[in-house]
Amino acid sequence: MLTVCHLYPDLLNLYGDRGNVMAFVRRCRWRNIPVQVKEVNIGETLDFAEVDFLFLGGGSDREQTLLNKDLTSRTAGLREAIEDGLVLLAICGGYQMLGRYYRTHEGEEIPGLGILDLYTEAGARRLIGNVAVEMLLDNITVKVTGFENHSGQTFLGDVSPLGKVLAGFGNNGRDKQEGARYKNVFCSYLHGPLLPKNTVLADYLITLAMRRRGISGDLQPLEDALEERANAVMLERLLKNTG
Ligand code: GLN
């Protein structure tokens, strides 16, 4: 049984980010892979060692401030699980909080968990629009699409980007980097939600979670023609606009 945890589903669910959890779960169930979902809110107990896929969605500055204390109190357990290969997808606000700090427009510094060597500072203008990103998943090049809307600009220290921006802004609109990757932690600015739109990435996360539980082998293919077509159309448009 795989256990999926959506942390702070009420506070971290911008632009339908919950769809990432739904896609992960549906794609498991369509293949008869047993899976359960735990929603964990502020003050509720959670043992990260029991989680196979953790999801942290996006949230506004206000929401990030509201849950900061609770999330910080969980740092040690989360760090340990990450080192142990926990599969984690963190989008936008959730991504920012794994870093060292987030500095708001007002100059307030919201401390992050410091698990990833990166920081975020609110920029003068919001970075909004559709994005195309190229990334390597098990040495296979994959192009994913999504939608970004953030004022925070993230700069990476000693951590790899998730991918290269082909169109859109990505981490900061300057260095063409998008997201961050550490072990089985995937951070991204792409809402969309990301996984329903990008089934290759969704299946890769499922595969990683299963491998960590000692279950290897290929996933049974699903009927993804519609998703693949939507992605191809989106990519074509985005790349034409930048080309
Ligand atoms: N508060 C963050 C920002 O605006 C995150 C927003 C988001 O999660 N979309 O940069």
Side-chain angles (χ1 to χ4, degrees), residues 29-30 43 67 113 159 162 187 192 199 222:
R29 293 203 174 131
W30 279 329
L67 58 83
L113 302 188
V159 63
L162 177 60
C187 298
T199 54
L222 296 175

Side-chain angles (χ1 to χ4, degrees), residues 46-238:
L46 167 64
D47 180 0
F48 287 109
E50 288 170 6
V51 178
D52 297 294
F53 174 58
L54 177 67
F55 179 67
L56 271 173
S60 66
D61 293 6
R62 180 181 159 273
E63 285 148 349
Q64 282 172 263
T65 312
L66 281 176
L67 58 83
N68 189 260
K69 205 169 138 220
D70 188 89
L71 183 60
T72 308
S73 73
R74 303 178 193 264
T75 306
L78 180 56
R79 191 193 298 272
E80 201 177 313
I82 287 172
E83 289 304 320
D84 184 53
L86 171 68
V87 182
L88 162 53
L89 176 64
I91 304 292
C92 202
Y95 162 28
Q96 295 170 349
M97 287 185 295
L98 293 175
R100 297 210 305 267
Y101 66 83
Y102 175 69
R103 187 175 298 144
T104 66
H105 279 291
E106 295 71 35
E108 190 200 344
E109 216 165 90
I110 308 174
L113 302 188
I115 291 177
L116 300 182
D117 184 16
L118 54 93
Y119 65 91
T120 305
E121 296 180 345
R125 61 173 182 144
R126 292 193 76 79
L127 306 180
I128 306 174
N130 292 316
V131 202
V133 178
E134 186 175 88
M135 61 182 72
L136 270 181
L137 303 177
D138 265 355
N139 290 324
I140 296 168
T141 304
V142 175
K143 290 187 174 75
V144 310
T145 56
F147 164 77
E148 63 186 328
N149 184 351
H150 50 113
S151 69
Q153 299 186 1
T154 297
F155 297 91
L156 305 183
D158 187 18
V159 63
S160 309
L162 177 60
K164 189 176 99 186
V165 174
L166 302 176
F169 299 104
N171 280 346
N172 50 53
R174 284 182 248 173
D175 60 20
K176 295 274 172 205
Q177 295 185 335
E178 206 293 308
R181 170 94 196 256
Y182 173 70
K183 293 199 167 194
N184 286 341
V185 177
F186 295 74
C187 298
S188 176
Y189 270 110
L190 273 59
H191 300 276
L194 181 61
L195 298 189
K197 276 190 175 175
N198 299 282
T199 54
V200 177
L201 180 60
D203 283 354
Y204 186 60
L205 299 185
I206 294 171
T207 303
L208 288 178
M210 293 186 52
R211 270 189 213 159
R212 184 162 169 257
R213 288 282 164 224
I215 310 160
S216 54
D218 292 338
L219 292 178
Q220 180 193 323
L222 296 175
E223 168 53 66
D224 288 329
L226 193 62
E227 289 89 337
E228 280 161 15
R229 178 89 192 105
N231 221 310
V233 169
M234 182 84 171
L235 265 174
E236 199 188 310
R237 283 193 192 158
L238 283 169

